[in-house]
Amino acid sequence: MVNTGKPSGGCELCRKRRVKCDERKPACAYCQKKQITCRYPKSQFEVAWRDQNQVASKAVQRRLNARAKANPDTDCSSRELVQRHSSDVPRVLPQNHEHYAQAFFFNYYVVPLALSSHERGFLGSLLPFWTRAIPSSPLRPAVNAVAQTLLEVWSFSNPNSSQSLARPYYLQGILAVRRHLESAEDVDDDVLWAMLMLDMYDRIQAFCGGRPHESTHVKGCVATIENQRRLPVSSRTSQGTLLGVRSRFIDDALNKKEPVPSHVLTWATKYQSSRRIPDIELEAINVEVANLQVSALGLTADTEGLNVSVLELLGKARELDMRLVAWTTIMPDEWAPMIIWDPETIPRSVRDAGLYQNHCSIHQSIWTADILNLHCISRIKTRLVILACLEHLNDLVFDMTRTNALTSVQDLADTICASVPYHLGDRVEPRRIDDRHVQYPCVGDSGTPDMHCTMAAAYGGVLLTKRLAELLKLGPLLRPGQQQWILSQMGRIKKIYTF
């Protein structure tokens, strides 16, 4: 018989016997003759897609038996045949690289924050929005860009190279955000999150490339919110998005000496909580510190043309410094760092990697350590404004105030330097993100918690770089040798994180 390619319409028994069936209904001639039940397939689709594994297996076995009979001296098993003819077939199907990058990002950067008891407005709130994001959401390519970049960094690749797989996702994210902003619809949280993730991509690229970061996407978020194009806050996670934008915007303004609109403070009014959130309270003070810096920029000009009195500026700086000191009273007790002086408690490898003045601090988490370092930076900035005002007043009455301000700046800088071992441990060269052999200063015999090992590897160097860069601006105000030590630690971070 000639095979026409059309599936047979015969009954199941005739097809099994591989004989011609007359296809009579309800029973064919053979089944009627044998007086057995005649069964037909339910549809032609079932015939076309029927299981042929058993038939093929028997055919292969028949060929093997015939070959073994013809050549009795040759042992050719079915397993050997498969191995002989399937050398090009991979043992495991290739993984989806996009899914692998997402799993890496969420496992090391998002989930640890979501599991942390510390309330944080940025990545700790990403997970619920990601799980609800539709395929056309701009959040998906933006997250993929960040995930792929971080995977390349920790795979010892250069994320700034032209072969980077993250760049196409970044461009897709920008186009998707642009389409949403150009439409007349209100902006949902996933669009703001997409802009925050695009900003995170830029930060990683700037960090690895050793260049300054431009907060274009964060400013776009703020402009979108100011134009009231954002949907009303409907949940705690939605409010977390707003606080994430606010935190990024205030931190950038504080570092770049840019003004912050006062209405930004109202973004946290709907954040319902039975207690005062310390980092939100600190951000509210930092809004005024950022604006104080902008006002102090006029002190470099002739004092006769200033719009604000030097004495008024001095009074404002003192007031903010007192509020920053009072902020520590609302700080939870467990946030207070533990200072370690005992050399036996600090591993030798940690001391060799970088220890300033033979002591270091241990914190509750990497995030509380960064908040306390930010508090020190804010106090340093108010003290610098005080010193700038005193230089213009040039009055002997303020000599004691000037001395106290200089001493305070030095003490605050020492506090930040003491947190370096907690952030970096004994890392001095590139190592895997999940390397549990990295040693950190700890108290007792319990060792370093796995959560800190993960968080310090993922965030420690990036967070610390921002704070150390602010200390370098102090220049001659630091004690001799401290500026060189800070430069050496920043070079160490560059060697650890830029491959």
Side-chain angles (χ1 to χ4, degrees):
M1 295 178 62
V2 179
N3 183 11
T4 61
K6 179 182 177 181
S8 172
C11 69
E12 294 179 356
L13 183 59
C14 291
R15 289 206 317 274
K16 186 175 182 180
R17 295 177 60 242
R18 303 181 71 83
V19 299
K20 176 69 174 178
C21 180
D22 59 9
E23 301 183 16
R24 291 181 182 178
K25 303 289 179 66
C28 68
Y30 180 81
C31 292
Q32 285 182 344
K33 180 180 178 180
K34 296 296 183 180
Q35 295 183 353
I36 58 178
T37 303
C38 186
R39 293 187 178 89
Y40 284 87
K42 295 180 180 179
S43 65
Q44 289 294 322
F45 179 85
E46 183 179 344
V47 175
W49 293 96
R50 63 189 182 275
D51 187 0
Q52 295 288 314
N53 289 339
Q54 187 176 3
V55 175
S57 177
K58 289 183 178 179
V60 170
Q61 192 62 44
R62 285 196 300 269
R63 290 196 297 270
L64 290 176
N65 294 337
R67 182 176 300 177
K69 187 176 180 180
N71 302 291
D73 297 334
T74 304
D75 183 14
C76 184
S77 64
S78 60
R79 182 181 298 274
E80 291 174 344
L81 185 66
V82 170
Q83 292 178 349
R84 184 183 305 168
H85 294 283
S86 60
S87 59
D88 296 332
V89 179
R91 293 181 178 270
V92 181
L93 293 177
Q95 289 183 329
N96 186 313
H97 203 71
E98 179 180 305
H99 293 170
Y100 185 81
Q102 293 171 5
F104 174 85
F105 171 61
F106 281 94
N107 185 45
Y108 290 105
Y109 284 85
V110 178
V111 173
L113 281 180
L115 297 177
S116 175
S117 59
H118 175 59
E119 299 184 47
R120 196 71 184 169
F122 189 46
L123 286 182
S125 304
L126 172 62
L127 197 56
F129 296 104
W130 171 256
T131 56
R132 295 196 301 262
I134 60 177
S136 61
S137 171
L139 180 58
R140 290 198 168 272
V143 168
N144 287 334
V146 174
Q148 186 60 55
T149 301
L150 290 173
L151 181 61
E152 290 174 352
V153 168
W154 287 103
S155 299
F156 310 104
S157 302
N158 181 10
N160 290 293
S161 68
S162 57
Q163 286 79 27
S164 173
L165 300 177
R167 188 69 179 177
Y169 290 120
Y170 176 72
L171 298 177
Q172 292 173 20
I174 291 179
L175 293 176
V177 169
R178 183 178 299 173
R179 283 195 299 268
H180 278 76
L181 295 179
E182 290 176 351
S183 65
E185 299 178 357
D186 289 333
V187 174
D188 205 349
D189 284 326
D190 61 341
V191 179
L192 293 180
W193 265 108
M195 298 168 77
L196 286 175
M197 298 309 296
L198 293 174
D199 176 74
M200 185 175 179
Y201 172 88
D202 285 345
R203 290 175 187 268
I204 298 171
Q205 295 288 332
F207 175 75
C208 294
R211 60 177 183 271
H213 166 64
E214 298 295 334
S215 309
T216 306
H217 298 294
V218 172
K219 293 178 180 178
C221 286
V222 175
T224 302
I225 297 172
E226 287 179 345
N227 294 332
Q228 298 181 349
R229 290 201 54 194
R230 181 180 186 267
L231 292 175
V233 175
S234 57
S235 65
R236 191 176 184 84
T237 54
S238 183
Q239 182 65 29
T241 305
L242 202 61
L243 293 178
V245 176
R246 188 182 97 144
S247 176
R248 285 296 182 95
F249 182 63
I250 295 175
D251 200 19
D252 289 341
L254 194 65
N255 292 334
K256 299 177 181 179
K257 296 183 179 180
E258 297 176 348
V260 179
S262 58
H263 67 80
V264 173
L265 293 173
T266 63
W267 292 3
T269 56
K270 296 182 180 180
Y271 195 72
Q272 301 297 329
S273 179
S274 59
R275 60 185 177 85
R276 298 171 69 183
I277 309 299
D279 48 343
I280 294 179
E281 296 283 342
L282 181 60
E283 287 175 359
I285 301 175
N286 282 340
V287 169
E288 300 184 53
V289 174
N291 293 331
L292 176 71
Q293 289 186 114
V294 176
S295 300
L297 292 176
L299 292 177
T300 57
D302 187 6
T303 56
E304 295 180 359
L306 294 179
N307 295 327
V308 59
S309 167
V310 176
L311 288 175
E312 290 178 358
L313 195 61
L314 178 61
K316 181 63 176 177
R318 285 176 168 175
E319 176 195 351
L320 287 176
D321 189 62
M322 293 176 62
R323 288 173 59 186
L324 287 168
V325 173
W327 175 83
T328 57
T329 61
I330 68 170
M331 183 183 71
D333 294 338
E334 58 269 20
W335 282 24
M338 181 180 297
I339 307 301
I340 297 179
W341 293 85
D342 186 6
E344 296 183 358
T345 308
I346 306 173
R348 178 70 182 181
S349 57
V350 174
R351 285 181 281 160
D352 294 340
L355 186 67
Y356 189 70
Q357 290 193 327
N358 299 320
H359 72 278
C360 64
S361 56
I362 298 179
H363 300 259
Q364 183 196 32
S365 70
I366 203 74
W367 285 111
T368 55
D370 185 62
I371 292 174
L372 293 178
N373 283 344
L374 176 61
H375 173 260
C376 293
I377 292 296
S378 301
R379 287 204 63 197
I380 288 175
K381 291 181 179 296
T382 59
R383 290 287 173 166
L384 292 178
V385 173
I386 291 174
L387 290 172
C389 292
L390 295 179
E391 287 183 6
H392 283 270
L393 292 175
N394 195 20
D395 195 332
L396 296 178
V397 177
F398 297 105
D399 282 350
M400 184 61 68
T401 304
R402 183 181 293 103
T403 302
N404 291 337
L406 290 172
T407 303
S408 177
V409 168
Q410 181 62 71
D411 292 341
L412 293 167
D414 292 344
T415 301
I416 296 176
C417 291
S419 69
V420 171
Y422 183 77
H423 285 80
L424 303 180
D426 62 354
R427 289 177 181 264
V428 292
E429 59 185 12
R431 299 169 75 168
R432 289 173 56 93
I433 191 173
D434 58 351
D435 191 343
R436 292 295 182 264
H437 295 93
V438 178
Q439 291 188 311
Y440 295 90
C442 60
V443 178
D445 300 330
S446 58
T448 304
D450 288 343
M451 178 66 75
H452 177 67
C453 292
T454 300
M455 298 287 285
Y459 293 100
V462 178
L463 296 176
L464 192 61
T465 297
K466 294 193 298 183
R467 310 312 175 200
L468 294 181
E470 289 293 321
L471 294 185
L472 286 179
K473 298 177 183 178
L474 299 177
L477 296 181
L478 298 173
R479 71 168 56 89
Q482 189 170 17
Q483 188 175 18
Q484 287 72 21
W485 184 86
I486 295 174
L487 282 171
S488 68
Q489 293 305 305
M490 294 190 70
R492 172 189 171 193
I493 294 173
K494 183 178 180 180
K495 183 178 180 181
I496 293 173
Y497 288 93
T498 55
F499 308 105

